[in-house]
Amino acid sequence: MKNLTRILVPVDSSAGADRAVTLAASLAQATGAVLDVLHVSYFDADTDDEQESWLPASIAGPVGRVGQEALERARKYVPASVTAVYHRRTGIPAEEILGFAAEKQAGLIVIGCRGLGVVEGFLLGSVSQEIVERATVSVVVAR
């Protein structure tokens, strides 16, 4: 593996994401890599181009708050000795994660899993599965 300088860890306030942040922070600490913590939401108040958002405040407000809470939750698992940068994006999670990884030239993606069985994972789909299949860099799935 080439010199690891950036590690991407997507977060969503789940236990799987907590495990992923813990592992990614440990790897960043050991390698001196920058840790990019990313939360992706499907939509927010700025999703459309209208003067007024088509999303009611009761939805757009909580989405923004949920994203901020996901990043704050992740901060608890990152030691002060690790250089971490926190990001938010809007869009289809797998697409945004892969695009972000390419943009920042991440050398590794560490992602949590939901712990679904084979049938449930197939029926419901899985962001982590799509990342594993489509990423152009190494991917570690934290269980």
Side-chain angles (χ1 to χ4, degrees):
M1 179 187 293
K2 64 181 183 178
N3 193 14
L4 188 61
T5 59
R6 294 193 89 93
I7 298 172
L8 170 59
V9 60
V11 297
D12 64 359
S13 292
S14 67
D18 294 345
R19 290 188 298 272
V21 173
T22 300
L23 177 58
S26 176
L27 292 169
Q29 190 167 36
T31 62
V34 171
L35 183 62
D36 286 302
V37 182
L38 174 66
H39 175 76
V40 179
S41 59
Y42 281 102
F43 51 83
D44 64 15
D46 298 324
T47 300
D48 58 2
D49 292 333
E50 303 294 321
Q51 288 283 50
E52 280 190 42
S53 176
W54 57 272
L55 291 170
S58 61
I59 294 175
V63 168
R65 189 170 56 249
V66 167
Q68 193 58 39
E69 288 171 0
L71 294 175
E72 289 302 319
R73 179 172 171 158
R75 284 183 202 277
K76 296 176 185 177
Y77 297 96
V78 179
S81 59
V82 172
T83 300
V85 185
Y86 298 84
H87 312 270
R88 289 177 59 189
R89 293 278 174 101
T90 303
I92 299 169
E95 296 296 326
E96 292 297 321
I97 292 165
L98 293 168
F100 186 92
E103 176 187 318
K104 296 292 184 179
Q105 298 181 334
L108 178 68
I109 300 171
V110 179
I111 193 163
C113 68
R114 295 181 297 183
L116 298 177
V118 173
V119 173
E120 293 91 346
F122 176 75
L123 294 175
L124 298 175
S126 170
V127 172
S128 57
Q129 180 66 32
E130 190 167 350
I131 298 300
V132 167
E133 291 175 3
R134 294 183 49 206
T136 59
V137 297
S138 295
V139 179
V140 174
V141 179
R143 297 206 52 81

